Amino acid sequence: DTAVSQTPKYLVTQMGNDKSIKCEQNLGHDTMYWYKQDSKKFLKIMFSYNNKELIINETVPNRFSPKSPDKAHLNLHINSLELGDSAVYFCASSETGTPNYGYTFGSGTRLTVV
Amino acid sequence: AQSVTQPDIHITVSEGASLELRCNYSYGATPYLFWYVQSPGQGLQLLLKYFSGDTLVQGIKGFEAEFKRSQSSFNLRKPSVHWSDAAEYFCAVGGNTPLVFGKGTRLSVIA
């Protein structure tokens, strides 16, 4: 039973395209997150979302948008992809918006823009 | 603003030797502190966490960490490293805001 699953695991696409990454969690958690890990392994929060509030990191370009059809899913949609968007994107979830119990991470989606 | 510093980018230890990975944090309130491990091509796995109580916390895989408020540190230790411990280790801090991660320490293990 995969707790947090992301699809696809690998994504190669051309500049200018629009793509989505899907994330699903079966833990019953209330809050989900998207992190970006760059080539130097640095993890940076992009979004956090629960059924009440979307918090956007102000440094994230508006080409990135999270979409949540229900509490168990938080998809990441990216418009007009750029070379600099190449990275590994991690989805995570936690209970009730606090990190008290830590986050559960998905296995990541490696995005390569060519 | 909250931040995490992991001063060591890369550490190499011999199998069976002890290990200490350093982590310093900056946080305006009571911190929740975490250590995660990332094996190549994998997601992040929680090793241990601290949010109150005993300042020495035990985690999985034989790891432990000690919270020292006076030094704003949360160093990770293991008495005897195994070759399978080779990975990237991340320290993170949070409270009621999303976790902020350090830049990671890559651990290499030699025979």
Side-chain angles (χ1 to χ4, degrees):
Chain A
D1 283 345
T2 303
V4 180
S5 60
Q6 295 179 229
T7 54
K9 189 170 177 65
Y10 300 96
L11 180 57
V12 181
T13 187
Q14 291 185 328
M15 279 193 303
N17 285 350
D18 302 338
K19 291 294 179 184
S20 292
I21 305 172
K22 296 184 177 181
C23 178
E24 175 182 5
Q25 54 95 4
N26 62 6
L27 299 167
H29 287 168
D30 295 306
T31 305
M32 297 182 72
Y33 311 83
W34 279 104
Y35 278 81
K36 178 181 180 180
Q37 186 175 48
D38 62 23
S39 58
K40 296 184 178 181
K41 301 285 188 180
F42 183 49
L43 281 154
K44 190 172 182 181
I45 181 71
M46 300 177 71
F47 305 100
S48 67
Y49 182 79
N50 62 27
N51 57 6
K52 299 177 184 177
E53 189 176 19
L54 170 66
I55 300 174
I56 303 172
N57 185 319
E58 61 187 13
T59 66
V60 175
N62 58 15
R63 299 182 293 102
F64 290 78
S65 57
K67 298 186 189 303
S68 181
D70 55 58
K71 195 174 82 166
H73 296 82
L74 182 66
N75 303 325
L76 181 65
H77 190 75
I78 315 169
N79 290 326
S80 303
L81 277 155
E82 301 177 356
L83 292 176
D85 298 331
S86 296
V88 181
Y89 292 85
F90 285 100
C91 177
S93 69
S94 72
E95 295 184 18
T96 328
T98 73
N100 196 349
Y101 299 102
Y103 295 178
T104 301
F105 281 85
S107 58
T109 296
R110 182 175 294 277
L111 171 65
T112 303
V113 182
V114 297
Chain B
Q2 59 201 66
S3 66
V4 176
T5 301
Q6 293 180 246
D8 304 306
I9 296 173
H10 184 202
I11 285 182
T12 300
V13 300
S14 298
E15 192 169 15
S18 63
L19 170 71
E20 182 170 29
L21 302 182
R22 295 182 292 164
C23 172
N24 292 96
Y25 68 90
S26 173
Y27 195 73
T30 301
Y32 295 81
L33 294 157
F34 305 82
W35 275 99
Y36 283 85
V37 61
Q38 184 181 24
S39 298
Q42 302 297 313
L44 283 82
Q45 181 183 21
L46 180 65
L47 284 176
L48 47 78
K49 59 184 179 284
Y50 171 81
F51 45 91
S52 66
D54 193 347
T55 57
L56 184 63
V57 293
Q58 303 296 320
I60 62 172
K61 305 185 179 187
F63 286 93
E64 65 178 26
E66 186 171 12
F67 170 59
K68 292 185 178 180
R69 185 183 297 276
S70 62
Q71 298 177 18
S72 297
S73 69
F74 188 57
N75 294 349
L76 181 71
R77 301 194 293 250
K78 186 169 184 177
S80 177
V81 170
H82 188 262
W83 64 266
S84 61
D85 293 325
E88 193 88 21
Y89 290 81
F90 294 92
C91 181
V93 67
N96 291 322
T97 53
L99 291 185
V100 171
F101 286 82
K103 294 190 176 182
T105 297
R106 183 161 61 97
L107 174 64
S108 297
V109 181
I110 57 175

